[in-house]
Amino acid sequence: MIIFKKIWVFLKTHWYIPVIIIIAFVLKSQNNRMLQIIDTQKESYKKQKAAIENAEKEKREEKARIEKEYSEATQKIEEEYAKMNKEISNRQKDIIKKTVKKFHSDPDALAKELSEKFGVQYVPHKNP
């Protein structure tokens, strides 16, 4: 019985020693689970980070592709417009040549005919 009294006195005065031993034992047994959880979280973080980086890279590539298509389309349209504009000018030149040949002796009739064909307002010249 004296041994129990000595143990009881020891535990009353140094209570924190058994508590520390119990906590260390509990933490030691759960340490592996905590490490597994931390490792799983690290892997999850790495995967999420890689997914974000891939999405950002795809977004930049898509933007570059769209800008390239836009510039190519714009260039093609400008070329077609320039070609069309030249064709219209040549057509207009032919019309003007024919009209001038037809009305070369009458300048007022020539001006009136050209204004009708090209949508320009004809204002007759008045002599003072």
Side-chain angles (χ1 to χ4, degrees), residues 8-122:
W8 178 247
V9 170
F10 177 80
L11 290 176
K12 276 178 37 178
T13 54
H14 303 292
W15 61 269
Y16 53 89
I17 294 174
V19 171
I20 291 174
I21 293 171
I22 292 170
I23 290 174
F25 180 74
V26 169
L27 290 178
K28 181 79 171 166
S29 66
Q30 292 187 5
N31 194 19
N32 288 339
R33 277 192 271 159
M34 284 191 212
L35 289 176
Q36 287 175 347
I37 291 171
I38 290 171
D39 288 341
T40 305
Q41 288 177 342
K42 282 182 184 178
E43 289 298 318
S44 174
Y45 168 74
K46 287 179 184 178
K47 287 179 183 178
Q48 289 175 5
K49 184 179 173 184
I52 290 170
E53 289 173 353
N54 286 338
E56 196 63 31
K57 182 180 176 184
E58 289 175 4
K59 184 178 174 183
R60 285 191 303 267
E61 290 172 354
E62 182 71 13
K63 184 177 178 183
R65 185 184 62 78
I66 289 171
E67 287 176 0
K68 182 180 177 186
E69 287 179 8
Y70 169 76
S71 64
E72 289 174 356
T74 303
Q75 184 180 6
K76 194 173 187 178
I77 290 170
E78 287 174 350
E79 289 172 359
E80 288 294 321
Y81 178 76
K83 185 178 175 183
M84 237 175 68
N85 198 9
K86 286 180 184 176
E87 289 176 2
I88 291 171
S89 296
N90 290 335
R91 203 176 322 137
Q92 288 174 343
K93 287 179 185 178
D94 290 341
I95 292 171
I96 291 170
K97 278 183 184 178
K98 288 178 185 177
T99 308
V100 168
K101 284 181 183 178
K102 186 176 180 181
F103 296 102
H104 72 282
S105 60
D106 189 5
D108 285 333
L110 174 65
K112 187 175 180 182
E113 184 71 20
L114 290 175
S115 69
E116 288 175 3
K117 287 186 178 183
F118 296 104
V120 180
Q121 183 180 3
Y122 170 66

